[in-house]
Amino acid sequence: MDSENRGFSTMNTESASGGTLPPGMTEDESVEVQVELFKVEEEILTLRQVLAAKERHAAELRRRLGINPLSEFKQNISKSWQEVQSSNAYLTASATLDDISHSDAYKKTQETLSQAGQMTSSALSTMGSAIKNRLGDLRNSSTFKNIEDKMTKAMTGKSDDDTPPPPGDNSTI
């Protein structure tokens, strides 16, 4: 009960009878105001206790109905979305967008962007094929093969003397 009293003053008759009084207030008026304050604070405390009990009861009823916080959230979102869809702002914006999507300017823009996308796709495909062919040519070049052979030898630790001649090379015979 003490933790629920936090933030509220308790009736203090000493300050009403022996402390300093607010200007223009008699001792009897001060006691009367303090008594009223005490009663109001007690009512607030009682209301908080009743509210907490009601909240616990509501939570129990929701649990028994199978309503969990996630389903409540979904219901709230659904309800909010329905409210948005029926709002004047949404209906006006929707009508405006509908008008725009049926306009000649929109259709021309859509066609132009579609053609630009197709051209871009074709250009990127052609560029990709060109790069692929160029890398294939590079891989088959004598310079690349020479570097590849040297790297292989370096990795395996073999020297030129250990390597047999390539097939078709009759220089050692």
Side-chain angles (χ1 to χ4, degrees):
M1 184 88 163
D2 188 35
S3 65
E4 294 171 354
N5 246 348
R6 240 180 276 141
F8 296 106
S9 65
T10 55
M11 190 165 154
N12 184 354
T13 54
E14 282 182 19
S15 65
S17 59
T20 37
L21 296 174
M25 185 177 279
T26 67
E27 189 174 324
D28 290 340
E29 288 173 332
S30 177
V31 169
E32 186 178 319
V33 169
Q34 281 198 342
V35 167
E36 186 177 351
L37 176 62
F38 181 77
K39 287 179 183 177
V40 169
E41 288 176 347
E42 284 295 313
E43 286 177 21
I44 291 172
L45 184 59
T46 302
L47 290 172
R48 283 188 178 171
Q49 291 169 344
V50 169
L51 179 60
K54 295 276 187 187
E55 287 175 339
R56 284 191 300 271
H57 184 64
E60 175 61 23
L61 293 175
R62 280 191 211 99
R63 186 193 62 75
R64 288 176 54 196
L65 289 171
I67 301 172
N68 60 30
L70 181 59
S71 65
E72 279 187 274
F73 179 71
K74 287 178 185 178
Q75 288 174 348
N76 289 342
I77 292 294
S78 178
K79 182 181 176 190
S80 296
W81 179 242
Q82 289 172 353
E83 289 172 0
V84 166
Q85 287 179 316
S86 65
S87 71
N88 285 336
Y90 180 86
L91 294 174
T92 303
S94 180
T96 302
L97 289 175
D98 193 44
D99 291 346
I100 290 171
S101 68
H102 290 94
S103 70
D104 289 336
Y106 177 83
K107 289 177 183 174
K108 287 179 183 177
T109 303
Q110 185 180 24
E111 289 173 15
T112 303
L113 290 175
S114 176
Q115 290 172 356
Q118 290 171 357
M119 289 178 173
T120 302
S121 176
S122 176
L124 290 174
S125 177
T126 302
M127 190 171 72
S129 295
I131 291 171
K132 177 182 172 188
N133 291 337
R134 184 67 181 126
L135 288 174
D137 292 346
L138 181 63
R139 179 135 171 43
N140 293 328
S141 71
S142 62
T143 305
F144 186 83
K145 289 199 178 287
N146 189 15
I147 292 171
E148 185 179 34
D149 289 342
K150 288 181 180 181
M151 290 297 290
T152 302
K153 289 175 186 172
M155 296 296 280
T156 59
K158 293 183 179 180
S159 67
D160 284 340
D161 298 337
D162 298 339
T163 310
D169 187 2
N170 296 331
S171 62
T172 58
I173 301 178

